[in-house]
């Protein structure tokens, strides 16, 4: 595990004191989340859908804090997909305003907790005011040594791949790049996530077994945890369950379980 070195050993022991049952040496370094079920959460309470998104922000803040406490290196959250523009205009407007408000309200505490925030996606299509806040927040926290918090906004995995391919093709046409030099590392360096290791664990809430155009390249070897919990209800115990599930897996990356390999060799 690559531990977040913004946290002292003492703080970490304190923060982890009630994570019994978890192997703190086998935590994922990068967690990705598809925060689904906000609308259903609100509906179940007789509330407008939009209230579900506001409650979702609280669940996201709590998850970020938990990841930070545990020394998890990166948290990447799917906040708005390239397909979400198809939602009713008032919901889209609400979400854009919510992103702005949250950024304005939380920037000081993100800064205090040494979080480095980045927004990943095609940001040019976002409202001007939101783009400015995103630039400010990214610049202000760029050198922070705490958790990397990536918010995927107007993000689509397919669009990300097409953009990367286009950038590489343009460089080849200009004669700056030999196509023979394009390998997986070079390709990954053109993705929005450049510089970030791939997620080890993907959590999807609300019981849907889909990737929904999220991190199509980066999730190649991620362990997937699907829970029926709706995102606004996703709390500390849900997160610990996801981590326990992750720790129960044997990650082979296309190879063999080391125990099986040992048996074959001997
Ligand atoms: C999916 O639930 C959720 C979204 C499309 C929005 C998620 C956004 C947040 C939680 C806000 C994050 C804020 C910041 C600043 C990062 P859904 O509406 O599809 O739920 P449903 O499937 O029950 O209808």
């Amino acid at each position: 595990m690559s531990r977040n070195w913004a946290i002292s050993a003492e703080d970490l022991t304190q923060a982890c004191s009630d994570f019994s049952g978890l192997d703190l040496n086998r935590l994922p370094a990068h967690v990705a989340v598809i925060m689904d079920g906000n609308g259903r959460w609100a509906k179940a309470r007789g509330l407008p859908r939009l209230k579900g998104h506001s409650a979702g922000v609280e669940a996201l803040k709590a998850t970020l804090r938990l990841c930070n406490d545990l020394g998890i290196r990166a948290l990447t959250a799917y906040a708005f997909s390239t397909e979400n523009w198809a939602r009713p205009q008032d919901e889209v407007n609400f979400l854009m305003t919510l992103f702005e408000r949250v950024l304005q309200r939380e920037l000081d505490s993100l800064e205090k907790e040494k979080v480095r925030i980045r927004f990943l996606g095609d940001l040019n299509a976002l409202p001007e005011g939101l783009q400015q806040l995103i630039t400010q927040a990214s610049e202000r926290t760029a050198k922070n040594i705490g958790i990397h918090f990536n918010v995927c906004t107007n993000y689509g995995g397919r669009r990300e791949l097409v953009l990367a391919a286009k950038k590489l093709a343009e460089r080849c046409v200009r004669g700056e790049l030999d196509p023979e030099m394009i390998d997986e590392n070079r390709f990954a360096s053109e993705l929005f996530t450049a510089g970030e290791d791939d997620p080890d664990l993907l959590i999807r809430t609300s019981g849907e077994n889909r990737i929904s155009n999220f991190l199509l390249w980066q999730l190649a070897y991620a362990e997937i945890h699907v829970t029926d919990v709706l995102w606004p209800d996703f709390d500390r115990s849900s997160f610990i369950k996801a981590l326990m599930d992750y720790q129960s897996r044997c990650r082979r990356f296309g190879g063999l379980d080391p125990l099986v390999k040992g048996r074959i060799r001997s």
Side-chain angles (χ1 to χ4, degrees):
M1 178 186 64
S2 105
R3 192 171 294 295
N4 174 354
W5 39 288
I7 296 170
S8 70
E10 216 170 62
D11 285 349
L12 187 70
T13 314
Q14 173 75 29
C16 296
S17 56
D18 50 352
F19 288 113
S20 55
L22 270 185
D23 179 349
L24 297 177
N25 293 310
R26 283 201 316 124
L27 290 172
H30 184 173
V31 175
V33 281
I34 301 181
M35 310 180 284
D36 199 9
N38 293 350
R40 275 164 282 170
W41 181 91
K43 193 172 171 209
R45 284 163 180 74
L47 297 169
R49 286 180 56 77
L50 309 184
K51 291 279 180 200
H53 296 315
S54 303
V57 171
E58 298 311 310
L60 181 57
K61 275 166 55 185
T63 304
L64 176 65
R65 197 160 299 127
L66 274 171
C67 287
N68 213 2
D69 285 350
L70 283 165
I72 288 172
R73 194 77 199 112
L75 174 69
T76 301
Y78 205 7
F80 192 88
S81 75
T82 44
E83 290 73 33
N84 285 153
W85 297 107
R87 293 189 174 211
Q89 194 57 47
D90 66 336
E91 182 165 345
V92 170
N93 293 345
F94 179 87
L95 281 167
M96 295 299 145
T97 309
L98 183 67
F99 298 151
E100 285 184 17
R101 277 208 210 113
V102 172
L103 265 185
Q104 280 165 330
R105 201 179 60 206
E106 302 295 334
L107 189 54
D108 283 347
S109 61
L110 290 174
E111 177 77 328
K112 217 158 84 199
E113 289 172 37
K114 301 188 170 60
V115 174
R116 190 201 74 177
I117 188 168
R118 283 202 303 170
F119 282 74
L120 312 183
D122 187 356
L123 306 180
N124 293 325
L126 301 176
E128 195 74 28
L130 177 56
Q131 287 188 48
Q132 280 170 15
L133 285 168
I134 286 175
T135 307
Q136 263 172 33
S138 312
E139 285 176 1
R140 215 175 118 188
T141 64
K143 294 204 169 76
N144 285 355
I145 56 171
I147 189 167
H148 295 176
F149 179 36
N150 304 311
V151 184
C152 293
T153 314
N154 193 23
Y155 174 90
R158 287 185 173 179
R159 185 174 297 180
E160 179 183 40
L161 294 173
V162 169
L163 285 174
K166 256 189 191 160
K167 279 189 252 169
L168 290 169
E170 282 162 8
R171 289 172 61 195
C172 290
V173 168
R174 287 198 299 267
E176 295 165 9
L177 181 65
D178 176 352
E180 284 303 316
M181 301 296 288
I182 301 174
D183 58 11
E184 291 186 10
N185 285 334
R186 174 81 61 152
F187 196 89
S189 73
E190 296 295 345
L191 299 174
F192 296 129
T193 47
E196 200 76 86
D197 287 341
D198 290 342
D200 303 291
L201 169 65
L202 168 70
I203 299 171
R204 178 160 192 158
T205 54
S206 90
E208 310 283 358
N209 289 281
R210 286 190 293 275
I211 289 187
S212 298
N213 204 15
F214 188 44
L215 302 176
L216 296 180
W217 171 282
Q218 299 86 339
L219 291 174
Y221 285 102
E223 296 299 324
I224 302 181
H225 172 82
V226 175
T227 169
D228 286 336
V229 171
L230 303 175
W231 177 253
D233 287 330
F234 190 83
D235 59 7
R236 184 186 186 89
S237 88
S238 323
F239 189 56
I240 293 173
K241 271 187 206 141
L243 294 175
M244 300 278 242
D245 186 18
Y246 171 79
Q247 292 189 342
S248 73
R249 312 282 178 89
C250 173
R251 302 187 77 194
R252 295 189 295 272
F253 298 96
L256 291 181
D257 179 333
L259 286 174
V260 175
K261 208 154 104 186
R263 278 203 295 273
I264 291 173
R265 280 211 184 115
S266 58

